[in-house]
């Protein structure tokens, strides 16, 4: 049986959860069944994650959402024509897009070739009118949670038979290996509570600090860590807030780390406190894979990955008091933290394994005519 040819498209301007999702697909598909192509990524670190499994093509897709200029639109159209010619010449069977700019190109490419179109949607923040324009003539949409699938059906008016759930996958053994490959540099004589997220407004960093302030009024043996890159102005604002509240000595800004898992594995608790419902919450399954319990808001995709009282604690959304109480309860219960961490890892190994993730993607490809 001839290998199916899959062309992955993304504008790839950074390595975030959606790009890691794509890298996991590329790295884990059976190379005897698929020939894989991907348009040129902008970060060498992303190339490393694919381990040479896909042929890299010299086609840049501009981020028209941010650039929005006539020149970027013309560049996008030019890229679409070049990719369409490549797709037709190489007999590409499936174009799999991973972002809105990529989907714009994918719609043009599959309109000019017989290739099928698959689109991974990772969040629910784009303008509804734009998504309704891009959903039609997509053969299959992959949502990373039941929450996101319902949103796509209700808001974007997609046909139910064309939207399926493919949750992110995780490999606990690989994460454990990465965790042991470096030193976190954290003080081992205190308890650590961490927020692993891009430093952008909706990820809830200010609320995290509000909860930290309340916890520090009760306990002095706790430190709070913020890991991630993002807005310099927001980070400056957060640090000023810490000074105003006199908690700066208890808050560590650890920045972006290519390998965050040594630090994550040294956490006693990982927090997810986004101000908008997380479509999935990759950090949650990564923490669980490292036996670290999570305190999170009871909404969105996170309420699917965390089982309240069994693998973590879910609290009322956007409530700093509820968040601080849950953190304090877990800090006071060492055996409870260990129990939740053990349960979380077992759940990740069964429900969110990398093998299951790849099987679901493979089934989507196989079901397309």
């Amino acid at each position: 049986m001839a290998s199916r040819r899959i062309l992955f498209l993304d504008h790839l301007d950074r390595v975030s959860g959606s790009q890691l999702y794509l890298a996991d697909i590329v790295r884990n598909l059976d190379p005897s069944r698929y020939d894989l192509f991907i348009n040129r990524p902008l970060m060498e670190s992303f190339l490393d994650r694919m381990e040479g499994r896909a042929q890299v093509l010299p086609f840049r897709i501009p981020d028209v959402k941010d650039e929005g200029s006539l020149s970027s639109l013309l560049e996008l159209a030019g890229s679409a024509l070049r990719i369409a010619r490549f797709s037709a010449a190489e007999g590409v069977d499936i174009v799999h897009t991973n972002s809105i700019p990529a989907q714009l190109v994918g719609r043009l490419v599959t309109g000019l070739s017989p290739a099928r179109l698959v689109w991974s949607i990772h969040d629910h923040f784009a303008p509804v009118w734009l998504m309704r324009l891009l959903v039609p003539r997509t053969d299959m949409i992959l949502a990373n949670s039941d929450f996101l699938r319902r949103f796509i059906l209700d808001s974007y008016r997609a046909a139910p038979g064309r939207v399926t759930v493919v949750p992110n996958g995780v490999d606990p053994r690989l994460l454990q290996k990465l965790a042991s490959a470096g030193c976190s540099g954290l003080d081992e004589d205190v308890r650590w509570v961490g927020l692993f997220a891009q430093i952008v407004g909706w990820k809830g960093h200010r609320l995290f600090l509000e909860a930290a302030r309340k916890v520090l009024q009760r306990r002095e043996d706790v430190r709070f860590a913020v890991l991630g890159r993002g807005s310099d102005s927001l980070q400056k604002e957060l640090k000023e807030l810490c000074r105003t509240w006199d908690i700066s000595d208890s808050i560590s800004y650890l920045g972006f780390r290519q390998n965050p898992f040594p630090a994550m594995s040294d956490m006693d608790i990982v927090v997810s406190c986004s101000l908008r419902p997380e479509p999935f919450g990759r950090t949650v399954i990564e923490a669980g894979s490292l036996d670290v319990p999570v305190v999170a808001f009871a909404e969105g995709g996170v309420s699917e990955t965390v089982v309240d009282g069994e693998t973590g604690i879910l609290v009322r959304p956007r409530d700093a008091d509820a968040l601080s109480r849950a953190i304090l309860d877990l800090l006071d219960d060492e055996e409870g933290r260990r129990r939740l961490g053990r349960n979380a890892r077992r759940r990740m190994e069964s429900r969110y394994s990398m093998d299951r993730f790849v099987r679901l993607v493979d089934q989507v490809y196989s079901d397309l005519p």
Side-chain angles (χ1 to χ4, degrees), residues 34-343:
Y34 295 102
D35 292 327
L36 307 179
F37 307 89
I38 187 168
N39 68 298
R40 178 175 63 86
L42 301 182
M43 295 187 67
E44 292 298 323
S45 59
F46 187 78
L47 274 177
D48 295 340
R49 292 179 183 274
M50 295 190 299
E51 300 176 351
R53 296 292 182 89
Q55 180 180 335
V56 180
L57 308 175
F59 305 127
R60 176 181 182 266
I61 297 176
D63 190 351
V64 292
K65 304 196 306 314
D66 292 338
E67 298 174 28
S69 64
L70 177 60
S71 62
S72 67
L73 290 171
L74 291 174
E75 182 182 358
L76 183 139
S79 293
L81 289 174
R82 290 191 293 273
I83 294 170
R85 286 197 292 267
F86 171 86
S87 176
E90 295 294 329
V92 167
D93 299 293
I94 298 169
V95 175
H96 188 154
T97 65
N98 198 50
S99 65
I100 290 175
Q103 177 68 2
L104 286 166
V105 171
R107 282 284 302 273
L108 293 169
V109 169
T110 53
L112 298 171
S113 74
R116 298 293 183 172
L117 182 59
V118 174
W119 184 12
S120 288
I121 297 180
H122 301 276
D123 59 48
H124 52 100
F125 309 139
V128 170
W129 66 266
L130 176 60
M131 301 300 280
R132 287 179 179 174
L133 287 175
L134 294 176
V135 161
R137 299 202 305 275
T138 304
D139 293 287
M140 185 59 69
I141 295 171
L142 310 188
N144 53 19
S145 65
D146 290 322
F147 161 79
L148 186 56
R149 182 178 186 272
R150 290 192 299 270
F151 188 91
I152 292 169
L153 295 177
D154 294 342
S155 298
Y156 304 156
R157 299 174 181 170
R162 293 184 179 237
V163 187
T164 190
V165 177
V166 179
N168 293 52
V170 68
D171 183 344
R173 288 173 297 180
L174 175 60
L175 294 195
Q176 292 281 356
K177 181 180 178 180
L178 291 171
S180 62
C183 177
S184 68
L186 301 179
D187 185 349
E188 297 180 358
D189 295 328
V190 297
R191 299 299 183 191
W192 283 95
V193 180
L195 176 60
F196 293 70
Q198 293 184 64
I199 302 178
V200 293
W202 75 274
K203 284 294 187 178
H205 288 79
R206 181 188 175 102
L207 193 146
F208 176 71
L209 295 179
E210 289 179 16
R213 181 190 186 193
K214 295 174 184 295
V215 170
L216 291 166
Q217 291 171 349
R218 295 274 305 276
R219 295 186 62 141
E220 298 180 352
D221 63 336
V222 187
R223 298 293 181 270
F224 291 81
V226 175
L227 286 89
R229 63 156 61 99
S231 166
D232 292 337
S233 60
L234 178 56
Q235 185 163 317
K236 182 179 179 181
E237 177 186 324
L238 295 172
K239 289 181 178 179
E240 181 59 35
L241 191 63
C242 291
R243 285 190 287 270
T244 299
W245 287 344
D246 195 25
I247 60 173
S248 296
D249 291 343
S250 298
I251 311 296
S252 296
Y253 292 85
L254 303 182
F256 172 78
R257 296 188 175 187
Q258 193 67 43
N259 177 12
F261 301 114
M264 185 178 283
S265 68
D266 282 348
M267 293 293 139
D268 293 278
I269 301 168
V270 166
V271 170
S272 173
C273 56
S274 299
L275 303 182
R276 292 183 284 183
E278 283 278 359
F280 179 78
R282 187 182 182 96
T283 295
V284 172
I285 64 171
E286 291 174 339
S289 296
L290 294 171
D291 300 282
V292 180
V294 172
V295 175
F297 290 154
E299 63 179 358
V302 172
S303 62
E304 300 170 28
T305 54
V306 177
V307 180
D308 187 32
E310 182 179 330
T311 68
I313 304 296
L314 294 175
V315 302
R316 187 167 54 250
R318 291 163 291 283
D319 187 332
D321 288 330
L323 189 61
S324 64
R325 286 195 298 270
I327 292 171
L328 283 166
D329 287 345
L330 276 184
L331 290 174
D332 290 339
D333 185 2
E334 183 173 354
E335 179 51 40
R337 293 197 309 274
R338 291 177 178 172
R339 176 180 60 82
L340 293 178
R342 290 193 300 267
N343 291 344

